[in-house]
Amino acid sequence: MRVSIDQNLCYGSAECVHRAPSVFEFVDDYGVVRPGREDSGDDPGVREAVEKCPSQAITLTE
């Protein structure tokens, strides 16, 4: 599964970075998916980040 962050929804809570730092990073006050980690949707930390993201900016797609 592919993970992505909608920059229009993200407001920089950093919940994603806290829950899956190997997949997400904080750039210019917003969460982003680390380059090359887009296919990390099966990672339990990523799934938790999707559930806990307060702005619901993280999505998983097949």
Side-chain angles (χ1 to χ4, degrees):
M1 300 206 62
R2 291 186 61 82
V3 61
S4 62
I5 297 179
D6 184 334
Q7 293 298 307
N8 293 319
L9 295 176
C10 179
Y11 58 74
S13 71
E15 284 293 322
C16 56
V17 178
H18 171 72
R19 296 176 190 288
S22 65
V23 177
F24 301 105
E25 62 184 330
F26 211 55
V27 175
D28 295 328
D29 297 325
Y30 297 99
V32 298
V33 178
R34 290 181 179 275
R37 301 294 297 182
E38 296 87 1
D39 291 324
S40 299
D42 293 326
D43 181 304
V46 171
R47 292 191 177 267
E48 184 177 352
V50 170
E51 292 173 15
K52 302 294 184 179
C53 178
S55 64
Q56 298 179 334
I58 308 169
T59 56
L60 295 177
T61 55
E62 302 225 16

